[in-house]
Amino acid sequence: MAAPAPGWALDADVVVVGSGVAGLTTALRCTAAGLRTVVVTKARLDDGSTRWAQGGVAAALGEGDTPEQHLDDTLVAGAGLCDEEAVRALVTEGPDAVRRLIGTGAHFDTGAGGELQLTREGGHHRRRIVHAGGDATGLEISRALVEAVRAAALTTVENALVLDLLTDEHGRTSGVTLHVMGEGQHDGVGAVHAPAVVLATGGMGQVFAATTNPAVSTGDGVALALRAGAEVSDLEFVQFHPTVLFLGAGSEGQQPLVSEAVRGEGAHLVDADGVRFMRDQHELAELAPRDIVAKAIMRRMLEQGADHMYLDARHFGAEMWETRFPTILAACRSHGIDPVTEPIPVAPAAHHASGGVRTDLRGRTTVPGLYACGEVACTGVHGANRLASNSLLEGLVFAERIAADVAERLRSTRMEHRSPEAGVVPTEDGASEDGASTEDAIPDAPLRPSDLSPPASRQLPLITPEARIRIQRIMSEGAGVLRSAHSLGTAARALEAVHLDALRADDQQGEGEAKAAVPGVDSWETSNLLCVARVLVAAALEREETRGCHWREDRPERDDADWRRHLVVRLAPDRSLTVRRTGTAAFPPVDPVYVHAEPHVPREP
C-alpha cells in the first residue's frame, strides 16, 4: 500500500502480529525457545477479538469424552471440507494445550471439588467446553496471557497497524512495515526486521455492516498476505452467529453476542408466537451446528416477514443468569431487555471467518518465512463451518506448532551458517545450487533496510475512509447469510465501482471532483476491507452450491461430486485475481511462492 518510508526500525528473530490467544501464545513459546520476539498489535495488548469470546474452549477433558468423539463432531460441522489430519492434531493436542494455558495462569470455572465445569454448545454431542467467569472466557484468557507477556518482558509495539510484508531479493520474508498510532517510543511508519513473521491478526468481520467483531477486525492480515503473493482459501465460508442481540433494523457496527452456551444450558429459540422451530430442523434442535441454526432462523424470518426471532431463557431464573451469564445479562439490560422476565430478540450477524491465509500443519504459508495462526489462517480445521469453541483451541494448538517450527528452522539455519561446508546459495526458483530446497532457509540475522523491499508490483489504490460504510452495506446486502448469483454479482459490480472510483481519483491527482485517499490508518483499513471483500465475493460466486455456512438460494443443494473442493485465491504480481479449484477435498501442499520470480503454479493433489 502507499505509505511513507519507514522512519525507525527494530530487529528480531520473529515478529508476531496480533495479541489474541494465537499471537500471545506464539510469542510466549518463541521467547521460551530463546528467540528475540517482538509483538505488534493494532490496539492495546488486550483489545483483540479473544477478549470478546464468551462461550469457552472445546477440548476432550471430561469423563467419557475422547479426542475421537471431538474429531467426529468437528468433521460433521465442517460439511466435508475439514482437513482430517489438521483436526486430529487439534483434538489430540488440545487437552494438553488447555492444561498449559491453565499453567500460564488462566482460571477456568470449577466445581466444588475443583473439577473443571464443562458445558455444551452447538454441534457437540458431549459437554466439553471449559469456560471462565461464566461467560467471560476470552477476557480471562486475554488477562492471563497479557500478564505472562509482561512478566516475560517481551518487546511489544501497541497501537500499530501492520502495512506490508518485507522480503529479500529471493522473496523470503524479512519483516513488516507498520504504522504506530500515537506518541511513544515509536511513532509513524516504521519496520520490524525479522526472518520470520507470524500473522495472528484475527478476523475480518468489519467487512459486514453488522458483526460481533470489534472495530479492529478489518482483515488486515489476509490483505497483507494477498499483497505479498500468499494464497488464501475458503474465504467464502463466513460463519454468521445465529443469536446476536437484535438492536433494530439497520443497526450497524459491533453487535452484542448472546453466546451459544446459553442454548447449551437449555434456552429455546422461538418465534413471536412462542413456537419452538428448531425441533423439526435437526436432531440436536437448538444445539445443531451454527450454519443450520442460522439458516433456520432466516427461513422463519422470511416465512413470517419478521426481522428477528427470540431466545427464551426465562426458565433459568435470576440466580443462574447472574452467576452463569453475567456479561450477557448486563449487555441485554443495557439495551432495555431483561432476559430473566422476557425473551431476547436475536438475529444472525457476521461472526467468524472459517477461511483465511492457507497454511500447512506447522502454520507455514506459501511465502517462505510467513506464518499464520488463529482466525486469519486457514489450517483446514474448520472446513465449511467452524464447530463452536474450536477457534480458541485452534489458536492454542497451532501457535505452539508454529513456535516449534520457527525455533527449529532458526537453529538448523544457524548451524548451517557456522558449518565450513555451508554456503548454499539460493537460485531464483527457490532451489539451492546443489538442488536442495530453500523453503526452510532463514537468514542468520536480519538484513539491512536497504536489502529489504515490499513485493515488487504496482501499488493498489488507497480507498477513502468514506467508502467503508459503502463496502459494509454492499457486503451485508449481497454476500450475507442469504446469497445468490444475482446478489453476489451485484455486490461484485458495486465493489468494482469502489475500486474504479479510487483509480480515477488517483489519475486525476486532485484535479477532479473525486479526491484521492491520503495515506493514513482509516484509508489503509478501508483498503484492506475492499481487498478481502472482493476476494470473498469472487469465491462465493465461484462456489455454486450450498455447503456449511455458504448458503446459495439459487443453488440450495450440497454438491459433493463437483464441489467437495477448496477454492484457492491469489493476487498475481500484476494484481489480477486468480481463483482455482483443488482437484480433491484435500489441501494442496503449501509450496513456497517466490514473489520476485516467475509466476508460481502450485501442484494439485
Side-chain angles (χ1 to χ4, degrees):
M1 291 192 292
W8 54 270
L10 297 173
D11 286 346
D13 293 320
V14 56
V15 54
V16 178
V17 186
S19 60
V21 62
L24 295 188
T25 302
T26 303
L28 287 167
R29 298 295 181 266
C30 284
T31 300
L35 302 180
R36 294 175 302 158
T37 306
V38 172
V39 176
V40 172
T41 186
K42 193 172 179 181
R44 299 189 306 274
L45 278 181
D46 60 354
D47 261 354
S49 294
T50 292
R51 73 187 302 268
W52 297 98
Q54 295 174 345
V57 187
L61 293 162
E63 184 178 354
D65 198 4
T66 65
E68 199 68 27
Q69 294 176 67
H70 189 182
L71 181 142
D72 290 343
D73 286 345
T74 300
L75 295 180
V76 169
L81 282 185
C82 293
D83 182 290
E84 186 167 340
E85 190 178 357
V87 177
R88 193 170 295 281
L90 178 84
V91 300
T92 55
E93 297 172 22
D96 283 342
V98 172
R99 294 184 185 102
R100 283 188 288 273
L101 178 61
I102 294 171
T104 302
H107 302 295
F108 292 105
D109 295 336
T110 56
E115 72 282 0
L116 288 170
Q117 290 185 342
L118 302 173
T119 190
R120 278 182 68 194
E121 293 185 10
H124 293 273
H125 283 78
R126 284 189 174 273
R127 286 182 170 265
R128 64 167 65 99
I129 316 295
V130 296
H131 48 83
D135 58 359
T137 308
L139 192 62
E140 170 58 18
I141 291 173
S142 181
R143 180 206 62 77
L145 291 174
V146 168
E147 285 188 6
V149 163
R150 288 175 174 155
L154 267 72
T155 300
T156 61
V157 183
E158 296 180 276
N159 301 306
L161 171 65
V162 67
L163 299 177
D164 280 304
L165 189 73
L166 294 171
T167 58
D168 66 15
E169 61 181 341
H170 303 292
R172 296 172 304 200
T173 295
S174 295
V176 292
T177 56
L178 61 155
H179 175 80
V180 179
M181 301 166 273
E183 300 177 356
Q185 184 178 358
H186 307 292
D187 195 14
V189 175
V192 180
H193 302 144
V197 171
V198 181
L199 297 178
T201 52
M204 55 184 188
Q206 287 291 325
V207 78
F208 294 95
T211 178
T212 63
N213 288 194
V216 295
S217 299
T218 51
D220 307 319
V222 171
L224 175 149
L226 281 164
R227 289 193 297 272
E231 294 180 348
V232 304
S233 187
D234 298 355
L235 220 60
E236 68 271 30
F237 296 118
V238 177
Q239 188 176 82
F240 288 78
H241 198 287
T243 54
V244 176
L245 184 61
F246 180 72
L247 300 180
S251 295
E252 296 179 334
Q254 185 179 8
Q255 312 286 299
L257 177 67
V258 181
S259 171
E260 197 156 306
V262 177
R263 282 176 280 136
E265 296 293 350
H268 304 145
L269 280 165
V270 299
D271 60 20
D273 297 322
V275 176
R276 288 182 64 184
F277 54 87
M278 281 305 303
R279 287 185 290 191
D280 298 330
Q281 300 292 324
H282 193 274
E283 61 168 348
L284 295 176
E286 281 86 0
L287 288 179
R290 286 180 179 174
D291 63 310
I292 294 172
V293 180
K295 291 171 188 175
I297 290 174
M298 293 300 297
R299 287 194 187 101
R300 198 68 161 191
M301 286 164 53
L302 290 171
E303 290 170 3
Q304 299 188 342
D307 50 16
H308 65 279
M309 291 286 109
Y310 294 92
L311 188 64
D312 193 351
R314 289 174 290 180
H315 54 284
F316 284 4
E319 183 179 356
M320 182 172 175
W321 268 111
E322 290 165 0
T323 56
R324 180 66 178 87
F325 301 111
T327 306
I328 299 170
L329 178 64
C332 289
R333 285 177 171 171
S334 71
H335 290 284
I337 301 154
D338 189 351
V340 177
T341 60
E342 59 186 316
I344 306 168
V346 294
H351 183 56
H352 187 276
S354 293
V357 185
R358 194 165 74 83
T359 75
D360 64 10
L361 296 187
R362 290 174 287 181
R364 296 179 179 185
T365 75
T366 51
V367 173
L370 179 66
Y371 295 78
C373 189
E375 191 173 353
V376 70
C378 182
T379 61
V381 159
H382 303 309
N385 181 50
R386 176 181 67 105
L387 181 66
S389 288
N390 267 357
S391 52
L392 291 173
L393 189 70
E394 181 192 33
L396 287 172
V397 168
F398 285 87
E400 294 183 345
R401 285 175 156 252
I402 287 172
D405 192 70
V406 173
E408 176 60 30
R409 291 174 67 194
L410 279 169
R411 278 195 298 268
S412 62
T413 302
R414 285 169 177 167
M415 290 177 64
E416 289 173 7
H417 278 284
R418 285 194 294 269
S419 170
E421 289 80 19
V424 176
V425 179
T427 63
E428 285 190 25
D429 63 358
S432 63
E433 289 183 346
D434 65 359
S437 170
T438 61
E439 179 183 357
D440 291 345
I442 298 180
D444 190 39
L447 300 174
R448 300 183 305 275
S450 59
D451 295 325
L452 307 173
S453 65
S457 60
R458 66 181 181 85
Q459 290 179 335
L460 291 166
L462 285 180
I463 311 300
T464 59
E466 292 76 18
R468 179 168 179 155
I469 294 177
R470 179 180 170 191
I471 294 167
Q472 292 169 329
R473 290 175 179 172
I474 289 169
M475 292 298 291
S476 286
E477 291 170 6
V481 179
L482 303 178
R483 302 169 177 175
S484 66
H486 174 74
S487 74
L488 291 166
T490 300
R493 290 187 292 273
L495 294 172
E496 178 68 11
V498 176
H499 175 71
L500 293 175
D501 286 348
L503 285 176
R504 282 191 290 268
D506 276 357
D507 291 341
Q508 291 171 0
Q509 296 181 342
E511 296 179 2
E513 292 184 6
K515 299 299 181 183
V518 177
V521 172
D522 290 342
S523 56
W524 289 323
E525 282 189 334
T526 308
S527 299
N528 287 337
L529 284 173
L530 180 62
C531 177
V532 297
R534 296 180 75 193
V535 173
L536 192 161
V537 168
L541 263 172
E542 183 78 10
R543 183 172 291 278
E544 296 180 333
E545 66 157 354
T546 289
R547 181 185 297 273
C549 51
H550 172 66
W551 185 7
R552 285 280 297 262
E553 293 180 282
D554 56 329
R555 302 281 184 171
E557 301 301 322
R558 173 170 154 176
D559 180 0
D560 280 351
D562 289 334
W563 283 106
R564 194 167 174 234
R565 310 282 190 273
H566 297 278
L567 291 176
V568 178
V569 183
R570 184 179 169 228
L571 282 181
D574 65 357
R575 294 319 194 203
S576 61
L577 191 68
T578 61
V579 182
R580 83 176 197 280
R581 195 188 323 183
T582 61
T584 70
F587 267 120
V590 175
D591 294 333
V593 176
Y594 291 89
V595 294
H596 293 293
E598 293 300 312
H600 172 69
V601 181
R603 297 193 303 268
E604 291 292 344

